[in-house]
Amino acid sequence: MSTQVRIFTLPRPLGETLAVPDQTPPPAPRSVQYPQIPKPTISPTLRARQYAMSTYEDKPKGGVTFSHQDKLPKLPIPDLDSTCQRYLTVLKPLQSSREHAETRHAVQEFLTGEGPELNEKLKKYAEGRTSYIEQFWYDSYLNFDNPVVLNLNPFFLLEDDPTPARNNQVTRAASLVVSALEFVRAVRKEELPPDTLRGVPLDMYQYSRLFGTARVPTDAGCQIEQDPESKHVIVMCHGQFYWFDVLDDNSDLIMTEKDIAINLQTVVDDATQTPIQEAAKGALGVLSTENRKVWSGLRDLLTREQGSNNADCLSIVDTALFVICLDYTEPTTVAALCQNVLCGTSQIEKGVQIGTCTNRWYDKLQIIVCKNGSAGINFEHTGVDGHTVLRFASDVYTDTILRFARTINGQAPTLWASTSPDPSKRDPESFGDVNTTPHKLEWDMIPELSIAVRFAETRLADLIEQNEFECLDFSSYGKNFITSMGFSPDAFVQMAFQAAYYGLYGRIECTYEPAMTKMYLHGRTEAIRPVSEESVNFVQTFWADNPAEQKIESLRKACQRHVNTTRECAKAQGCDRHLYALFCLWQRTVDEDASSGMSSNGYSSPVDGASDLGSSPPGKESFFPVTDGEPRVITRERGDSTNTRGSRDSNHHLPLIFADSGWDKLNTTILSTSNCGNPSLRQFGFGPVSGDGFGIGYIIKDDGISICVSSRHRQTRRFVDTLESYLLEIRRILRIASRQSVLPSKTTRAREIDSTRPIKATNRPKLRGRLITGSEVIKSQKSITGSMSPTEESLTMSEDDELGGYGFFDAGMLLQALKARGEGLDNGETKASERAAVHARRRDVGKKLRLIDY
């Protein structure tokens, strides 16, 4: 059965703009060649190719994009002793003395037991592979069973178009689509300049899987499918699906920006003809938010008849280049915009969901545009990190501006080495077999699908209501001020998170930040652990009533430690990825027969219940390059978990290092953070990675810091307020310390004249008045208040001293008091007789209630 579609008549025939033939023959195709693994397709006319990530090979280097791939070094496997020492170092500030002693024992047993043998197996496993962690990484993501929305997919919120007149939905969306298609063309023709970091080329492998891909659930976990020849896009509006072709077989654009705008307006007009309450009942996009196993069963329902209408509709969605979501809402706050791009809105009217959460397809790259032109990107994170999508977002945003500038000045620059021939000047026959008119996908809503849509929507609404989002657009200072004070911007902001959390709760918690490792072949991320002994000393020093110099000195030491850790992780010399690979290899050794040759097909790695771009499979964490002061990718560190699903041979015992509480501690992320910086972005973020954690995405700009914080209703607004108070207070302290160090400095020549020139009697009006000097002000203050510590001076001069509403406190005093009260309890376990006495007393506490008879 052929796909059932409704064909629209355009307000202006496209043929009128295509009447003039192009006299210049189109350039010869030089498209990207994607290795393919044969697989039965859903429809004979629609190709969806699955690729196994562990065997996906880099393409021939015909252009510049992948020209450095064969020169990139492989991701190194760190020395086992060094990894274990780093592991102990990052855990020490998070553990009690007894817990750390137990972890040291577990590590020592690992080093003298299974560790060296496992490490040798890992080295042998890595031979002939592009990366020792890659397959384990993909397994971790693809076997994540929970919904991807709010758990795996991060978002970017783009800046508004600088031309206000272009900030309406259709105009903005058409502009973004054209720029996105030019990016697709540059990748396929290998004309996209390779990424570099301080002159070092970075891996470009992820760009080849950014478009035409879909995350497809199966009974054995998810898989990534791709149509490398895709040339159509999906448009969603009011939960309804439309498609039309945008590229020819040579990856050249076949429509102008105006043509695409006409198509998008046609889609909007048609979608609004169906009442939104009625459209919501058939909004199949919500199925992509279901538990992955449930979604797999529903896809089987859609595709059980090969070539059916539903199967073909689903294949059209899966094989699209990307999805454009046109929302009817106009969020009024930045936090609302962030929520809309991350998970959509939930709005119930007469018992029916009419929020934008039904207007999404989370298994693919999505460009989301609100009615007022505000736009963002939501992306499936398995095959691409934030750094890759950041380049896409940045280039697309830049091209929209440059292309508009070229309509005013034809000599304005362009990002692209070459561009598509002007579609309006081409011979229509040169486009080939394309459909440029929008087609609406009309699903056969059998009863099972209708019920599934309803229940998927109610579960999604629950999920949305369980999370909250707050933003801080801090404009008092940014990178310029931080660097002028001698700090690394990223380290400075990371210590702000530590100080804010400690100031609010008086606790130190496990924190995650991704470091980009794309200078290695198929590199992804390594986990930075911002909590250190130096950071703990800093937050305790800051929140106690100490002199400014002492606070600044402890901050410098903490920041320097963070910088050193970041540099090690950027060189793939962390501990998380190495230990995770050893854990997965041990599990594989147990679960698979030795004769299987350690085949990775279908292997399921453990995944934590929460994810993080801030924390997720080994890496939802990493979004953006973590280089000081530069954007980095995205991140969350999702689910490097201790779950050991799968059968175990009774002769195989879990190595103690992975059974120890320290392993759980390190993989339970409370503060999942990721630094992404680029002027094209207004905000970026992701959902919390644990039930009692925060997801923190931040952008360090020249004169400001943009921060998006999410949590499951854990006083998110209060945390953001505390963070802002800290940032203001640390600036005051830095200025005080800086002013004191500057006072004795050499004066300018002009001031030397003032200080040495004798005062002569004169009638010059300019010499009237009393001479004021800074030293007199300081002396007068001292005479009034006596000797003041820098901290006291800061408090006296403060106009907005809040510090979370409490001011300075010393949590160390509280901890010491508690320790003294319970002294000796941490030296060992209580005796059985003591425990029995405690339980006996507990039985008599409180009023015993009589059970009600039913």
Side-chain angles (χ1 to χ4, degrees), residues 8-18 168-175 177-178 235 242 244 246 255-271 326 436-439:
F8 305 99
T9 301
L10 297 177
R12 290 180 56 190
L14 184 62
E16 291 181 5
T17 64
L18 304 177
N168 66 78
Q169 185 176 57
V170 169
T171 302
R172 184 83 193 276
S175 179
V177 168
V178 170
V235 182
Y242 303 80
F244 54 88
V246 288
M255 305 180 75
T256 65
E257 183 176 337
K258 186 174 183 179
D259 294 330
I260 292 177
I262 291 173
N263 273 12
L264 296 180
Q265 186 62 57
T266 302
V267 166
V268 172
D269 292 344
D270 179 80
L326 302 178
T436 57
T437 303
H439 292 58

Coordinates of all heavy atoms in Angstrom, one line a residue, residues 8-18 168-175 177-178 235 242 244 246 255-271 326 436-439:
F8 N -0.8 19.7 -1.0 CA -1.4 21.1 -0.9 C -1.0 21.9 -2.1 O 0.0 21.6 -2.8 CB -0.8 21.8 0.3 CG -1.1 21.1 1.6 CD1 0.0 20.3 2.2 CD2 -2.3 21.1 2.2 CE1 -0.2 19.6 3.3 CE2 -2.5 20.4 3.4 CZ -1.5 19.7 4.0
T9 N -1.9 22.8 -2.4 CA -1.6 23.8 -3.5 C -0.9 25.0 -2.8 O -1.5 25.6 -1.9 CB -2.8 24.2 -4.2 OG1 -3.4 23.0 -4.8 CG2 -2.5 25.2 -5.3
L10 N 0.3 25.4 -3.3 CA 1.0 26.5 -2.7 C 0.3 27.8 -3.0 O -0.3 27.9 -4.1 CB 2.4 26.5 -3.2 CG 3.3 25.3 -2.8 CD1 4.7 25.4 -3.4 CD2 3.4 25.2 -1.3
P11 N 0.4 28.8 -2.2 CA -0.1 30.1 -2.5 C 0.5 30.7 -3.8 O -0.2 31.3 -4.5 CB 0.3 31.0 -1.3 CG 0.4 30.0 -0.2 CD 0.9 28.7 -0.8
R12 N 1.8 30.4 -4.0 CA 2.4 30.8 -5.3 C 3.1 29.6 -5.9 O 3.9 28.9 -5.2 CB 3.5 31.9 -5.0 CG 2.9 33.2 -4.6 CD 4.0 34.2 -4.4 NE 4.8 34.3 -5.6 CZ 6.0 35.0 -5.6 NH1 6.4 35.6 -4.5 NH2 6.7 35.1 -6.7
P13 N 2.8 29.3 -7.1 CA 3.4 28.1 -7.7 C 5.0 28.2 -7.7 O 5.5 29.2 -8.0 CB 2.9 28.1 -9.1 CG 1.7 28.9 -9.1 CD 1.9 30.0 -8.0
L14 N 5.6 27.1 -7.2 CA 7.0 27.1 -7.2 C 7.6 27.2 -8.6 O 8.7 27.7 -8.8 CB 7.5 25.8 -6.5 CG 9.0 25.6 -6.3 CD1 9.5 26.7 -5.4 CD2 9.3 24.2 -5.7
G15 N 6.9 26.7 -9.6 CA 7.4 26.7 -11.0 C 7.7 28.1 -11.5 O 8.6 28.3 -12.3
E16 N 7.0 29.1 -11.0 CA 7.3 30.5 -11.4 C 8.7 30.9 -11.1 O 9.3 31.7 -11.8 CB 6.3 31.4 -10.8 CG 4.9 31.2 -11.3 CD 3.9 32.2 -10.7 OE1 4.4 33.1 -9.9 OE2 2.7 32.1 -10.9
T17 N 9.2 30.4 -10.0 CA 10.6 30.8 -9.6 C 11.6 29.9 -10.2 O 12.8 30.2 -10.0 CB 10.7 30.8 -8.1 OG1 10.5 29.4 -7.6 CG2 9.7 31.6 -7.4
L18 N 11.2 28.9 -10.9 CA 12.2 28.0 -11.5 C 12.2 28.0 -13.0 O 12.8 27.1 -13.6 CB 11.8 26.5 -11.0 CG 11.7 26.3 -9.5 CD1 11.3 24.9 -9.2 CD2 13.1 26.6 -8.8
N168 N 10.2 36.4 13.5 CA 8.9 35.8 13.5 C 9.1 34.3 13.1 O 10.1 34.0 12.6 CB 7.9 36.5 12.6 CG 8.2 36.4 11.1 OD1 8.0 35.3 10.5 ND2 8.8 37.4 10.6
Q169 N 8.1 33.5 13.4 CA 8.3 32.1 13.4 C 8.7 31.6 12.0 O 9.8 30.9 11.8 CB 7.1 31.3 13.8 CG 7.2 29.8 13.9 CD 6.0 29.1 14.5 OE1 4.9 29.3 13.9 NE2 6.2 28.4 15.5
V170 N 7.9 31.9 11.0 CA 8.2 31.3 9.7 C 9.5 31.8 9.1 O 10.3 31.1 8.5 CB 7.0 31.6 8.7 CG1 7.3 31.3 7.3 CG2 5.8 30.8 9.2
T171 N 9.7 33.1 9.2 CA 10.9 33.7 8.6 C 12.2 33.2 9.3 O 13.2 32.8 8.7 CB 10.9 35.3 8.8 OG1 9.8 35.8 8.2 CG2 12.2 35.9 8.2
R172 N 12.1 33.1 10.7 CA 13.3 32.6 11.4 C 13.5 31.1 11.1 O 14.7 30.7 10.9 CB 13.1 32.7 12.9 CG 14.3 32.3 13.8 CD 15.3 33.4 13.9 NE 16.6 33.0 14.4 CZ 16.9 32.9 15.7 NH1 15.9 33.1 16.6 NH2 18.1 32.6 16.1
A173 N 12.5 30.3 11.0 CA 12.6 28.9 10.8 C 13.2 28.6 9.4 O 14.1 27.8 9.2 CB 11.2 28.2 10.9
A174 N 12.7 29.4 8.4 CA 13.2 29.2 7.0 C 14.6 29.6 6.9 O 15.4 28.9 6.3 CB 12.3 30.1 6.0
S175 N 15.0 30.6 7.6 CA 16.4 31.0 7.6 C 17.3 30.0 8.2 O 18.4 29.6 7.7 CB 16.6 32.4 8.3 OG 17.9 32.8 8.4
V177 N 16.7 26.8 8.5 CA 16.7 25.6 7.7 C 17.6 25.7 6.6 O 18.4 24.8 6.3 CB 15.2 25.3 7.2 CG1 15.3 24.2 6.1 CG2 14.3 24.8 8.3
V178 N 17.6 26.8 5.9 CA 18.6 27.0 4.7 C 20.0 26.9 5.2 O 20.9 26.3 4.6 CB 18.3 28.4 4.1 CG1 19.4 28.7 3.0 CG2 16.9 28.3 3.4
V235 N 8.5 18.4 9.3 CA 8.0 19.6 10.0 C 6.9 19.2 10.9 O 6.0 18.5 10.4 CB 7.5 20.7 9.0 CG1 7.1 21.9 9.8 CG2 8.6 21.1 8.0
Y242 N 4.6 16.6 8.7 CA 4.7 17.0 7.3 C 6.1 16.8 6.8 O 7.1 16.8 7.6 CB 4.3 18.5 7.1 CG 2.9 18.8 7.7 CD1 2.7 19.1 9.0 CD2 1.8 18.9 6.8 CE1 1.5 19.4 9.5 CE2 0.6 19.3 7.3 CZ 0.4 19.5 8.7 OH -0.8 19.8 9.2
F244 N 8.8 17.4 3.2 CA 9.1 17.7 1.8 C 10.6 17.7 1.5 O 11.4 17.7 2.5 CB 8.6 19.1 1.4 CG 9.0 20.2 2.3 CD1 10.2 20.9 2.1 CD2 8.3 20.6 3.4 CE1 10.6 22.0 2.9 CE2 8.7 21.6 4.3 CZ 9.8 22.3 4.0
V246 N 14.3 18.8 0.2 CA 15.0 20.1 0.3 C 16.4 20.0 -0.4 O 17.0 21.0 -0.7 CB 15.3 20.5 1.7 CG1 14.0 21.0 2.4 CG2 15.9 19.4 2.6
M255 N 15.6 24.5 -3.0 CA 14.6 25.6 -2.7 C 15.3 26.8 -2.1 O 16.2 26.7 -1.4 CB 13.5 25.0 -1.7 CG 12.8 23.8 -2.1 SD 11.6 23.2 -0.9 CE 10.3 24.4 -1.2
T256 N 14.7 27.9 -2.5 CA 15.3 29.2 -1.9 C 14.7 29.4 -0.5 O 13.7 28.6 -0.1 CB 14.9 30.4 -2.8 OG1 13.4 30.5 -2.7 CG2 15.4 30.2 -4.2
E257 N 15.2 30.3 0.2 CA 14.6 30.6 1.6 C 13.2 31.0 1.5 O 12.4 30.6 2.3 CB 15.5 31.7 2.2 CG 15.0 32.1 3.6 CD 15.9 33.1 4.3 OE1 17.1 33.2 3.9 OE2 15.4 33.8 5.2
K258 N 12.8 31.7 0.4 CA 11.4 32.2 0.3 C 10.5 30.9 0.0 O 9.4 30.8 0.5 CB 11.3 33.2 -0.8 CG 9.9 33.8 -1.0 CD 9.9 34.9 -2.0 CE 8.5 35.5 -2.1 NZ 8.5 36.6 -3.1
D259 N 11.0 30.0 -0.8 CA 10.3 28.8 -1.1 C 10.0 28.0 0.2 O 8.9 27.5 0.4 CB 11.0 27.9 -2.1 CG 11.1 28.6 -3.5 OD1 10.2 29.3 -3.8 OD2 12.1 28.3 -4.2
I260 N 11.0 27.9 1.0 CA 10.9 27.1 2.2 C 9.9 27.8 3.2 O 9.1 27.2 3.9 CB 12.3 26.9 2.9 CG1 13.1 26.0 2.0 CG2 12.1 26.4 4.3 CD1 14.5 25.7 2.5
A261 N 10.0 29.2 3.2 CA 9.1 29.9 4.1 C 7.6 29.7 3.6 O 6.7 29.6 4.4 CB 9.4 31.4 4.0
I262 N 7.4 29.7 2.3 CA 6.1 29.4 1.8 C 5.6 28.0 2.2 O 4.5 27.8 2.7 CB 6.0 29.5 0.2 CG1 6.2 31.0 -0.2 CG2 4.7 28.9 -0.3 CD1 6.4 31.1 -1.7
N263 N 6.5 27.0 2.2 CA 6.1 25.7 2.6 C 5.8 25.7 4.1 O 4.8 25.0 4.5 CB 7.3 24.7 2.3 CG 7.3 24.1 0.9 OD1 6.5 24.6 0.1 ND2 8.1 23.1 0.7
L264 N 6.6 26.3 4.9 CA 6.3 26.3 6.3 C 5.0 27.0 6.7 O 4.3 26.6 7.5 CB 7.5 27.0 7.1 CG 8.9 26.3 7.0 CD1 9.9 27.1 7.7 CD2 8.8 24.9 7.5
Q265 N 4.7 28.1 6.0 CA 3.5 28.8 6.2 C 2.3 28.0 5.8 O 1.3 27.9 6.5 CB 3.5 30.2 5.5 CG 2.2 31.0 5.8 CD 2.2 31.4 7.3 OE1 3.1 32.0 7.8 NE2 1.1 31.1 7.9
T266 N 2.5 27.2 4.7 CA 1.4 26.3 4.3 C 1.2 25.2 5.3 O 0.0 24.9 5.6 CB 1.9 25.6 3.0 OG1 2.1 26.6 2.0 CG2 0.8 24.7 2.5
V267 N 2.2 24.7 5.9 CA 2.1 23.7 7.0 C 1.4 24.3 8.2 O 0.4 23.7 8.7 CB 3.5 23.2 7.4 CG1 3.4 22.4 8.7 CG2 4.1 22.3 6.3
V268 N 1.8 25.5 8.6 CA 1.1 26.1 9.8 C -0.4 26.3 9.5 O -1.2 26.0 10.4 CB 1.8 27.5 10.1 CG1 1.0 28.2 11.2 CG2 3.2 27.3 10.6
D269 N -0.7 26.8 8.3 CA -2.1 27.1 8.0 C -2.9 25.8 8.0 O -4.1 25.8 8.5 CB -2.2 27.7 6.6 CG -1.6 29.1 6.6 OD1 -1.5 29.7 7.7 OD2 -1.3 29.7 5.5
D270 N -2.3 24.7 7.5 CA -3.1 23.4 7.5 C -3.2 22.9 8.9 O -4.3 22.4 9.3 CB -2.4 22.4 6.6 CG -3.1 21.1 6.6 OD1 -4.1 21.0 5.8 OD2 -2.7 20.2 7.3
A271 N -2.1 22.9 9.7 CA -2.1 22.3 11.0 C -3.2 23.0 11.9 O -3.8 22.4 12.7 CB -0.7 22.4 11.7
L326 N 7.5 23.6 14.9 CA 6.9 24.9 14.9 C 5.9 24.9 16.1 O 4.9 24.3 16.0 CB 6.3 25.2 13.6 CG 7.2 25.2 12.3 CD1 6.4 25.5 11.1 CD2 8.4 26.1 12.5
T436 N 8.8 18.8 -3.7 CA 9.0 20.1 -3.0 C 7.8 20.6 -2.3 O 7.8 21.6 -1.5 CB 9.6 21.1 -3.9 OG1 8.6 21.3 -5.0 CG2 10.9 20.7 -4.5
T437 N 6.6 20.0 -2.5 CA 5.4 20.4 -1.9 C 5.2 19.7 -0.6 O 5.4 18.5 -0.6 CB 4.2 20.2 -2.9 OG1 4.4 20.9 -4.1 CG2 2.9 20.7 -2.2
P438 N 4.7 20.3 0.5 CA 4.5 19.6 1.7 C 3.5 18.5 1.6 O 2.5 18.6 1.0 CB 4.1 20.7 2.7 CG 4.5 22.0 2.1 CD 4.4 21.8 0.6
H439 N 3.8 17.4 2.3 CA 2.9 16.2 2.4 C 2.7 16.0 3.8 O 3.6 16.1 4.7 CB 3.5 15.0 1.8 CG 3.7 15.0 0.3 ND1 4.5 15.9 -0.4 CD2 3.2 14.2 -0.7 CE1 4.5 15.7 -1.7 NE2 3.7 14.7 -1.9

